[in-house]
Amino acid sequence: MSRVYNFSAGPAMLPEEVLKTCADEMFDYKGSGQSVMEMSHRSKVYDGIIKEAEKDFRELVGVPDNYKVLFLQGGASTQFAMIPMNLMKNRVADYIVTGQWAKKAFQEAGKYGKANKIASSEDKTFSYIPDVSDLPISDDADYVYICQNNTIYGTRFTELPNTKGKLLVSDVSSMFLSEPHDVTKYGIMYGGVQKNVGPAGVTIVVIRDDLITDDVLEGTPTMLKYKTHADSDSLYNTPPAYNIYVCGLVFKWLKKQGGLEAIKAHNEKKAKILYDFLDSSEMFKGTVEKKYRSLMNVPFVTGDDDLNAKFIKEATDAGFVNLKGHRTVGGMRASIYNAMPIEGVEKLVEFMRDFEKKN
Ligand SMILES: *Cc1c(COP(=O)(O)O)cnc(C)c1O
């Protein structure tokens, strides 16, 4: 059996140990005589699985008691609508637009109320994070919205914005569980799990209790009310049961690695190997301002489209897959999430060094 180093932005690599447990438990989950895939989500066994997943997540992140953890569907993209539907009491919200995902969320919110773009980095193709220390926050804003790690452009917020007392809502999809999260800083922190946490199909929403109400925009579907899911512990309807189980295994794996501080140190070490190489290379260059470099998504270019294409092809043949940059930016992007082993990055750099010599 040979596995590739998968540098995809998502769905992405999962820890091999987790995949092996999935394989071992596939036919008969702990003597239940069934696969978790086949199990009723109302069964006692499954209730144990989802409760334990939530408990492990809470311990791992340190989620305070006044926050709920919800396992939802519809991807991170559904949150772009769900957030305004549930939080826009004044029908006003402020958006900091630092990439495509923030822009999509901003555009979606405009359907439900007045969405203000209070800062943007689009003038330089989203290659930096704007100064967020003193923004023109609207007096009647229901919340301030950010995308904390920009998957496509490879930037991240190094500090959270000064929201001047307004609620902060953050999309952490591509940095979820890659470092400690201070939940108390947010009204809502959410992410699709397929980047860093599990198989596609689950969105984890961490939401402060007082934001879960029946006071939502008129016409909000039952399924898009946080209260619906909070009241039934994420079991209002059939959840993505198997995928939540896999997320649970990843939470246990992360705990075993030493928790989020330890995984952060590991991720910093991995990112440094790649960035140090980019900074010393004559051929390959990073594309974002150093200060805002993401630890998870590393875009780079050679400055020549044909050479980029040649590199991507040869890298793929050598077992380094999905290095093509996002279709809107071109070039290359290496996503090095939690489950990417350090050897994967070391070997990629070795391959890049060799490619540079030969070309
Ligand atoms: C991938 C991604 C999304 C979209 O996720 P879906 O689950 O496909 O809807 C949103 N935000 C960020 C930051 C992402 O990386």
Side-chain angles (χ1 to χ4, degrees):
M1 183 192 69
S2 108
R3 284 176 50 84
V4 292
Y5 290 112
N6 181 4
F7 293 91
S8 170
M13 289 179 85
L14 288 168
E16 285 196 0
E17 216 179 292
V18 166
L19 295 178
K20 283 185 181 137
T21 305
C22 292
D24 287 346
E25 296 181 339
M26 180 60 72
F27 284 91
D28 177 9
Y29 176 77
K30 296 190 176 163
S32 66
Q34 312 162 58
S35 166
V36 178
M37 276 188 212
E38 304 168 299
M39 234 171 235
S40 164
H41 60 293
R42 306 284 174 210
S43 66
K44 219 175 162 154
V45 188
Y46 190 73
D47 201 57
I49 292 173
I50 192 169
K51 292 265 154 54
E52 191 161 325
E54 181 180 342
K55 182 174 147 282
D56 284 333
F57 178 88
R58 282 182 168 277
E59 280 172 19
L60 190 63
V61 178
V63 179
D65 287 344
N66 64 325
Y67 283 76
K68 282 255 174 349
V69 175
L70 307 176
F71 297 103
L72 306 182
Q73 301 192 60
S77 301
T78 295
Q79 294 307 308
F80 299 170
M82 211 162 157
I83 288 159
M85 282 175 155
N86 284 266
L87 299 189
M88 257 192 184
K89 319 287 178 197
N90 299 325
R91 302 236 179 187
V92 179
D94 289 347
Y95 280 72
I96 300 174
V97 177
T98 53
Q100 297 293 351
W101 295 119
K103 194 173 174 179
K104 281 192 174 160
F106 163 68
Q107 286 166 341
E108 189 75 7
K111 292 183 171 182
Y112 302 99
K114 193 161 171 289
N116 302 307
K117 192 195 289 181
I118 56 166
S120 165
S121 52
E122 195 161 12
D123 60 332
K124 292 185 189 160
T125 16
F126 299 119
S127 58
Y128 69 104
I129 300 290
D131 180 1
V132 292
S133 59
D134 185 19
L135 293 168
I137 307 284
S138 313
D139 285 338
D140 51 355
D142 293 304
Y143 59 89
V144 176
Y145 183 100
I146 61 169
C147 175
Q148 211 166 315
N149 182 82
N150 297 283
T151 326
I152 296 174
Y153 300 94
T155 60
R156 60 158 175 162
F157 281 74
T158 48
E159 57 190 313
L160 294 176
N162 172 6
T163 63
K164 302 180 181 173
K166 303 293 182 192
L167 213 58
L168 179 64
V169 173
S170 179
D171 174 357
V172 298
S173 294
S174 51
M175 59 173 291
F176 217 171
L177 309 184
S178 69
E179 57 180 81
H181 302 285
D182 182 354
V183 174
T184 62
K185 297 266 196 298
Y186 307 94
I188 292 179
M189 177 185 99
Y190 78 93
V193 302
Q194 73 274 24
K195 308 289 160 67
N196 215 1
V197 179
V202 185
T203 308
I204 299 177
V205 175
V206 183
I207 176 170
R208 214 173 63 201
D209 273 348
D210 59 295
L211 304 174
I212 303 170
T213 67
D214 282 315
D215 179 21
V216 297
L217 297 192
E218 206 185 314
T220 298
T222 307
M223 277 294 287
L224 298 187
K225 268 173 66 174
Y226 290 121
K227 191 160 191 303
T228 302
H229 301 284
D231 284 352
S232 48
D233 294 326
S234 303
L235 289 167
Y236 171 74
N237 71 325
T238 320
Y242 189 79
N243 303 35
I244 293 170
Y245 150 77
V246 181
C247 290
L249 295 177
V250 172
F251 304 152
K252 287 197 189 298
W253 177 80
L254 284 167
K255 286 169 100 176
K256 226 166 95 181
Q257 306 308 303
L260 300 186
E261 280 293 352
I263 202 82
K264 180 187 183 193
H266 181 71
N267 287 328
E268 282 173 339
K269 201 165 147 192
K270 274 187 324 201
K272 188 173 186 307
I273 294 170
L274 191 45
Y275 284 125
D276 281 352
F277 171 72
L278 291 174
D279 290 342
S280 71
S281 167
E282 296 282 315
M283 177 183 280
F284 297 102
K285 295 275 169 246
T287 57
V288 307
E289 273 186 35
K290 283 187 188 174
K291 183 176 169 202
Y292 303 110
R293 281 172 163 175
S294 167
L295 293 180
M296 299 280 101
N297 311 99
V298 184
F300 55 95
V301 293
T302 63
D304 175 336
D305 285 347
D306 291 338
L307 200 56
N308 289 346
K310 185 169 189 244
F311 173 76
I312 292 163
K313 185 180 179 304
E314 289 182 15
T316 306
D317 293 343
F320 306 101
V321 307
N322 291 318
L323 280 165
K324 200 169 183 320
H326 190 267
R327 59 198 148 77
T328 59
V329 287
M332 282 73 72
R333 171 180 49 174
S335 294
I336 48 175
Y337 297 119
N338 289 344
M340 171 61 68
I342 208 150
E343 309 84 72
V345 178
E346 284 167 349
K347 285 183 182 161
L348 174 67
V349 164
E350 213 174 287
F351 179 83
M352 288 168 78
R353 197 171 274 132
D354 199 46
F355 183 89
E356 182 167 354
K357 257 187 227 137
K358 288 185 189 144
N359 289 272

